[in-house]
Amino acid sequence: MTSRTCLTLVLAAGEGTRMKSALPKVLHRTAGRTLVGHAISAAREAGAERLAVVVGPSREDVAAEAAEHAPEAQVFIQAERKGTAHAVLAARAALERPSDDILILFGDTPLIRAETLKRMRAALSDGATVAVLGFEPADPTGYGRLIVKDGELAAIREEKDASADEKKIGFCNAGLMAISGAHALELLDGVTNDNASREFYLTDIVGLAREAALKTVALMAEESEVQGVNTRAQLAAVEAAFQKRLREHAMREGATLIAPETVFFAVDTVLGRDVLIEPNVFFGPGVTVEDGATIRAYCHVEGAHIGRDVTIGPFSRLRPGASLGDHTRIGNFVEIKNAVLDRDVKVNHLAYVGDASVGADANIGAGAITCNYDGVRKQRTEIGAGAFIGVNSALVAPVSVGAGAYIATGSVITDDVPANALGVARSRQTVKEGWAEERRKNNPKPPK
Ligand code: UD1
Ligand code: CA
């Protein structure tokens, strides 16, 4: 099967009006990725070497998002919404180039797994001309019904066109289809809009294939894999299904989740072995966690790398570009952004480290802040290995603190501090003997 060529079409021309959103539906996110991004990723994983995305008119934003996930994808515009077959035919130029398999995915069905797409392709290599993905939803209302006769798929009937008996069928069309490239165009060109919605239904190619004595089959999928998104409530349901899948995967791969239902992953979160995750942790996209790390309760992490045996939290925030070397320790109310911390660094409480590099074994005290923004641009702070940044210091970037240097508590550091030096930038303390006693004498409290 692997030698067969495949074109995948992702239909993403839906307006998604029921989302009541300024964003097109397929740009909404679940598990840290856009809906259309999920569909494209599944297609790529299933080995689609050619990809085409069909978008609505003036949807440069959807085209740009598709390019993020598949720079090689061809984008086609469906100028008017005239049905799913019409949408597929918007990509006629892609269909005209020969390929063995054509996979049709919906941009709003993000839970689809590559294994299932491979199963659909396998049905083609076993001789089917059309393979349709079916499922048995708890509530079939609104779905096209799959009419199976003698083990083969005889037709798909849209609900609007179905008879009372056909409406009783529980086996429904998930919408995804695999079509033999040799027959796709001829079948699609045969579709008419002679139905209740006056739309060109992709599903009609099943009946057309049967008339031409071609084999059509229906495969079964789990409902959780083909749930579509039309509303915000369905977006939340899809999110829940993703999180269940991602939590189970994390645990299967050797992470301990004390309260799995309170940990939220992005689809691309990578965890090593023996990672311990305490309750209430959120992972945005782009996070890798090495073996043995501990993420304590209430952390928010995105675009970050967490090294071996690192501990973060409780209540830590890692923003994009945070990279923590092995054994580093980030404590409560610490924020790290676009900063590379080497191994064994300690930032234990109440600090902000942004646009910085921090050498191994450095210790950054409570309340220390890298002042990385001057109101116009971001500036960098370099902290050398083994440096000690005293409590409540402000390091005004651009600035560097050399290896092994000390910064005295409460300093505002605006000039570079060389290696092994002390940087102190605060006024000296004065002590006035007896001053308080004198004041009380001169300003007695009024009687009660
Ligand atoms: C479709 C199926 C139905 C199936 C259901 C599963 C058809 C005719 N019907 O119905 O059998 O049970 O999905 O969810 O295929 N789209 C375009 N351009 C169009 C029309 C649709 O790009 O002109 C895209 C939509 O953005 C969406 C997908 O195709 O991603 C499905 O379209 P939709 O109108 O939601 O089809 P359903 O009526 O749900
Ligand atoms: Ca739909």
Side-chain angles (χ1 to χ4, degrees):
M1 194 194 97
T2 43
S3 62
R4 295 170 67 95
T5 57
C6 181
L7 163 70
T8 303
L9 282 183
V10 178
L11 303 190
E15 292 134 45
T17 44
R18 290 167 70 197
M19 299 293 280
K20 306 229 167 100
S21 174
L23 266 188
K25 178 169 72 177
V26 294
L27 294 188
H28 282 261
R29 284 172 190 275
T30 177
R33 185 177 280 169
T34 56
L35 299 180
V36 69
H38 282 289
I40 291 173
S41 308
R44 297 193 94 181
E45 255 184 80
E49 55 281 328
R50 278 205 296 140
L51 256 162
V53 182
V54 178
V55 305
S58 320
R59 282 270 70 115
E60 291 78 15
D61 47 2
V62 177
E65 175 63 12
E68 273 293 298
H69 293 274
E72 78 286 4
Q74 276 185 287
V75 174
F76 295 92
I77 293 166
Q78 185 194 18
E80 271 181 285
R81 255 180 85 90
K82 292 187 184 171
T84 42
H86 183 260
V88 172
L89 282 170
R92 183 180 289 276
L95 295 163
E96 277 168 349
R97 268 180 59 191
S99 49
D100 298 311
D101 302 343
I102 292 169
L103 271 177
I104 316 278
L105 308 190
F106 287 173
D108 66 357
T109 309
L111 285 153
I112 189 71
R113 288 178 306 140
E115 295 92 277
T116 305
L117 299 181
K118 286 182 187 160
R119 258 202 305 138
M120 293 169 70
R121 292 185 62 193
L124 297 186
S125 63
D126 288 347
T129 297
V130 181
V132 170
L133 196 61
F135 71 121
E136 286 175 335
D139 175 12
T141 313
Y143 292 108
R145 306 300 205 282
L146 299 182
I147 301 169
V148 178
K149 283 196 187 123
D150 306 324
E152 290 201 14
L153 179 63
I156 308 180
R157 196 80 71 231
E158 289 308 300
E159 170 145 305
K160 280 186 188 162
D161 305 299
S163 68
D165 269 353
E166 285 168 342
K167 278 186 189 150
K168 288 181 194 144
I169 297 172
F171 193 25
C172 291
N173 178 22
L176 291 79
M177 242 186 232
I179 314 169
S180 148
H183 297 93
L185 263 180
E186 132 208 359
L187 290 173
L188 287 159
D189 279 330
V191 173
T192 64
N193 64 350
D194 184 16
N195 54 54
S197 316
R198 311 304 298 167
E199 281 193 10
F200 295 87
Y201 291 157
L202 174 60
T203 44
D204 282 356
I205 69 167
V206 170
L208 294 172
R210 305 286 298 177
E211 283 166 23
L214 297 166
K215 188 175 163 191
T216 53
V217 298
L219 306 176
M220 179 68 94
E222 292 287 315
E223 182 169 13
S224 64
E225 203 179 330
V226 294
Q227 289 180 64
V229 175
N230 298 309
T231 62
R232 305 259 183 176
Q234 287 171 340
L235 183 65
V238 160
E239 181 78 56
F242 253 118
Q243 293 306 333
K244 183 169 186 288
R245 189 189 281 180
L246 295 170
R247 289 164 190 151
E248 281 166 5
H249 176 79
M251 292 187 280
R252 222 174 19 249
E253 294 301 309
T256 295
L257 275 53
I258 294 176
E261 65 286 359
T262 69
V263 177
F264 293 81
F265 293 107
V267 68
D268 64 351
T269 306
V270 178
L271 303 179
R273 292 279 162 95
D274 295 311
V275 169
L276 170 65
I277 304 176
E278 291 185 358
N280 297 306
V281 172
F282 183 91
F283 292 92
V287 177
T288 52
V289 184
E290 304 281 343
D291 294 355
T294 299
I295 318 284
R296 301 192 61 196
Y298 300 103
C299 286
H300 191 284
V301 184
E302 59 187 320
H305 174 255
I306 296 176
R308 266 175 179 269
D309 300 318
V310 162
T311 299
I312 74 164
F315 298 100
S316 300
R317 179 170 185 205
L318 302 185
R319 290 171 54 201
S323 174
L324 309 182
D326 297 350
H327 303 283
T328 278
R329 170 85 181 86
I330 303 298
N332 42 279
F333 308 110
V334 172
E335 174 178 338
I336 312 279
K337 185 216 74 169
N338 189 30
V340 177
L341 279 55
D342 206 330
R343 59 162 183 83
D344 293 291
V345 172
K346 288 186 178 58
V347 193
N348 274 331
H349 4 244
L350 299 158
Y352 172 61
V353 180
D355 300 304
S357 69
V358 181
D361 297 304
N363 189 314
I364 298 183
I369 303 284
T370 55
C371 309
N372 60 325
Y373 187 51
D374 58 12
V376 180
R377 58 183 68 83
K378 302 286 164 60
Q379 308 276 12
R380 291 195 62 82
T381 300
E382 315 284 338
I383 297 172
F388 181 94
I389 311 298
V391 161
N392 252 10
S393 304
L395 305 176
V396 182
V399 75
S400 78
V401 175
Y406 261 67
I407 300 300
T409 292
S411 293
V412 176
I413 298 295
T414 53
D415 298 328
D416 291 353
V417 177
N420 299 315
L422 167 71
V424 49
R426 53 168 142 91
S427 53
R428 265 199 179 284
Q429 180 174 335
T430 46
V431 174
K432 297 181 179 173
E433 291 288 348
W435 182 92
E437 197 179 22
E438 191 71 12
R439 183 177 190 276
R440 276 193 295 273
K441 210 188 296 165
N442 295 335
N443 298 288
K445 275 191 184 161
K448 278 193 181 148

